[in-house]
Amino acid sequence: MAIPRVRPGNYPAVLSYGFRPFFLLGSLYAGLTILAWLPMLYGRLETASVFTPVDWHIHEMIFGYVAAIVTGFLLTAIPNWTGRLPVQGLPLAVLVAIWLAGRFAVFFSADIGWLAAAVIDSSFLLAVAVAAAVEIIAGRNWRNLKVLVPVGVLFAANVAYHLEVHFNGEADIARRLGIGATVVLIMIIGGRIIPSFTRNWLARQAPGRLPVPFNRFDAVTILGSAAALLAWTCFPDHVAGGAALLAAGALNVARLSRWAGERTWHDPLVVILHVAYAFVPVGFVLAALAVLLPEVVAPPAGLHAFGTGAIGAMTLAVMSRATLGHTGHALHAGNATCMVFVAVVASAILRIAYAFLPGMTPLLHVSAAAWTLAFLGYAAVYGGMLLRPKLRARQANPAPS
């Protein structure tokens, strides 16, 4: 079903589709918060938050940045699934305002009180879930209601995060629950778009192996991985959970190998999807080894394979492709876009390396710099496209590098 036209209205182009404000604000926030994070870690910058610097950093990456990008994706994909007009104009502006209010509420939670901050911050994902459910149900697109499950888990994890920080002094279970829900969302959505975009690109190339369509193996992989992540969330040190994580890693390696990623090296917009998904099994294996061989692998290795690698790279890959396609530009990755992709992958590799070599602080600093370069680079390259009206077909040219 073709994406419907937007409803004409008295609002700027940035409020015409969900991806526009949330991709732009999310990328800026992801880059700028890392610039603030290291000074906070070293005690050179203080917040008025009830969260410790580490908890603030993790919370804002998951429930600030990731929540914004997931929202932008869903509000853009749902009209394509249902044939309905997108959430735009004033309703979209209200969602943006709630997201921004949540960022200020968390940062100043020591001043306004933890409960007020929790209510303001948690209301965003609840509002997104309700808006998405209304559109999917109104469009009778029942099969896509399943994407609301990870969103609901993210909402529950956010509430739990605030409660854990208040009653225990720091978050624990909620950290892994939020990351796990996001990884499951990547497995669901990635399993749909990666083989599809790969097949479309390969169909224009020389004949050869094509991605295997979604089948029972994919469903088993997602369900098994979700169960392993749930065990890791609740029992992070249990040997059985470590074995389940290892099995999930193997399943995801097999799943990725079925998508013919080795044939896509000539198209950065496609190959980055495969590279990003590769961090999913890496995360499972490292998380498993942190349980089974704790003297060799530290827990942050798996956490950052999931967070910096799978989540960071996959969101940038989807944001770049969606921005080009939905603003009327050619699906072409210029030099600057390739730089963004290289930077986020480098950031992930360096951050994982730092988990193995915690004494080499330059690894952490360079990883943070590469992350900032990637996300502020995205904002610089694509910001104009997100703020301007969509190009008409006859005006569309290859995107600038």
Side-chain angles (χ1 to χ4, degrees):
M1 190 176 297
I3 298 175
R5 288 187 172 187
V6 298
R7 182 187 295 109
N10 254 348
Y11 48 80
V14 73
L15 293 177
S16 63
Y17 246 112
F19 74 94
R20 291 177 176 270
F22 284 112
F23 285 6
L24 181 57
L25 290 172
S27 61
L28 289 171
Y29 193 66
L32 294 175
T33 51
I34 293 301
L35 285 180
W37 153 238
L38 286 180
M40 287 182 191
L41 180 64
Y42 296 131
R44 296 172 185 169
L45 178 64
E46 294 184 359
T47 70
S49 177
V50 296
F51 290 4
T52 65
V54 171
D55 275 327
W56 178 84
H57 162 65
I58 296 172
H59 181 275
E60 290 306 282
M61 285 295 99
I62 301 173
F63 305 108
Y65 167 68
V66 170
I69 305 310
V70 168
T71 299
F73 175 85
L74 286 179
L75 294 184
T76 305
I78 289 173
N80 201 28
W81 299 340
T82 63
R84 290 171 55 82
L85 289 169
V87 175
Q88 58 190 130
L90 181 59
L92 181 56
V94 169
L95 286 176
V96 172
I98 296 173
W99 180 81
L100 288 170
R103 310 289 53 80
F104 283 103
V106 171
F107 195 86
F108 294 105
S109 53
D111 293 332
I112 68 174
W114 79 272
L115 183 58
V119 170
I120 295 169
D121 179 46
S122 301
S123 64
F124 174 68
L125 280 170
L126 181 60
V128 170
V130 170
V134 167
E135 292 300 311
I136 291 173
I137 292 171
R140 298 182 179 276
N141 188 249
W142 311 112
R143 70 188 183 92
N144 281 312
L145 279 173
K146 63 179 177 288
V147 302
L148 298 181
V149 175
V151 176
V153 175
L154 271 178
F155 165 74
N158 195 14
V159 173
Y161 206 105
H162 286 276
L163 291 172
E164 278 194 305
V165 168
H166 177 66
F167 290 107
N168 298 334
E170 63 178 5
D172 179 34
I173 293 175
R175 292 181 183 179
R176 294 187 297 277
L177 184 59
I179 291 174
T182 308
V183 171
V184 170
L185 199 56
I186 287 175
M187 288 190 290
I188 292 172
I189 295 173
R192 172 178 295 184
I193 65 174
I194 297 174
S196 174
F197 294 157
T198 301
R199 177 178 291 273
N200 292 343
W201 186 79
L202 290 176
R204 300 192 296 270
Q205 311 304 312
R209 189 169 76 94
L210 295 176
V212 177
F214 188 97
N215 58 27
R216 186 173 297 177
F217 178 81
D218 296 272
V220 169
T221 299
I222 293 172
L223 290 174
S225 299
L229 288 168
L230 182 60
W232 174 64
T233 297
C234 300
F235 310 103
D237 301 321
H238 201 285
V239 173
L245 290 168
L246 201 58
L251 286 172
N252 278 282
V253 168
R255 189 185 194 208
L256 181 61
S257 71
R258 290 152 46 95
W259 293 339
E262 75 282 356
R263 300 190 62 217
T264 64
W265 290 104
H266 295 293
D267 188 344
L269 287 175
V270 178
V271 74
I272 186 60
L273 293 168
H274 292 266
V275 172
Y277 196 91
F279 282 103
V280 171
V282 170
F284 276 113
V285 171
L286 291 177
L289 294 178
V291 177
L292 303 175
L293 299 171
E295 68 281 359
V296 177
V297 180
L303 286 171
H304 286 95
F306 283 141
T308 313
I311 297 172
M314 184 63 76
T315 50
L316 272 178
V318 171
M319 289 157 62
S320 300
R321 189 181 187 96
T323 301
L324 290 171
H326 289 291
T327 58
H329 291 81
L331 292 177
H332 168 74
N335 292 333
T337 298
C338 292
M339 177 204 69
V340 165
F341 294 160
V342 169
V344 73
V345 172
S347 176
I349 293 171
L350 291 168
R351 188 60 186 84
I352 294 169
Y354 178 69
F356 286 92
L357 302 167
M360 295 187 63
T361 54
L363 290 174
L364 176 62
H365 298 164
V366 178
S367 173
W371 176 277
T372 299
L373 175 64
F375 284 88
L376 296 188
Y378 167 86
V381 174
Y382 293 96
M385 302 180 203
L386 295 169
L387 292 171
R388 293 192 297 266
K390 180 178 180 178
L391 292 178
R392 294 183 179 182
R394 66 175 182 271
Q395 296 175 319
N397 293 308
S401 63

